[in-house]
Amino acid sequence: MLQAMKENNQSTENLTFGMGGGLLQKVDRDMMGFAMKASAICINGSWYDIFKNPRTGPEKRSKGAALR
């Protein structure tokens, strides 16, 4: 991922890596014990936010990339 950003002259300040705190106590997320999440996608040169907004749990809404 970092190599691709370097090749496209993108700043690594636009990227965040992280893990949930539960990783230290238990491994039940998946085999590797971590998740990667996206906040935006580029389709044909146009950027779009990616976020969840569940109807049954509005408090679980996530934030997009805030590109606008």
Side-chain angles (χ1 to χ4, degrees):
M1 191 174 293
L2 294 172
Q3 184 63 35
M5 292 186 76
K6 183 177 180 181
E7 291 170 2
N8 288 289
N9 296 320
Q10 294 176 328
S11 171
T12 56
E13 291 182 11
N14 298 314
L15 183 65
T16 301
F17 295 102
M19 296 182 201
L23 183 64
L24 299 173
Q25 289 81 27
K26 58 187 176 191
V27 180
D28 61 3
R29 179 76 181 196
D30 58 20
M31 190 72 160
M32 300 300 288
F34 71 94
M36 295 182 72
K37 300 177 182 181
S39 60
I41 187 170
C42 182
I43 301 173
N44 296 325
S46 295
W47 283 94
Y48 301 91
D49 285 353
I50 298 174
F51 59 95
K52 66 181 181 185
N53 190 12
R55 288 184 220 168
T56 57
E59 71 281 358
K60 294 182 179 180
R61 182 171 192 216
S62 64
K63 295 182 180 180
L67 298 170
R68 294 179 225 35

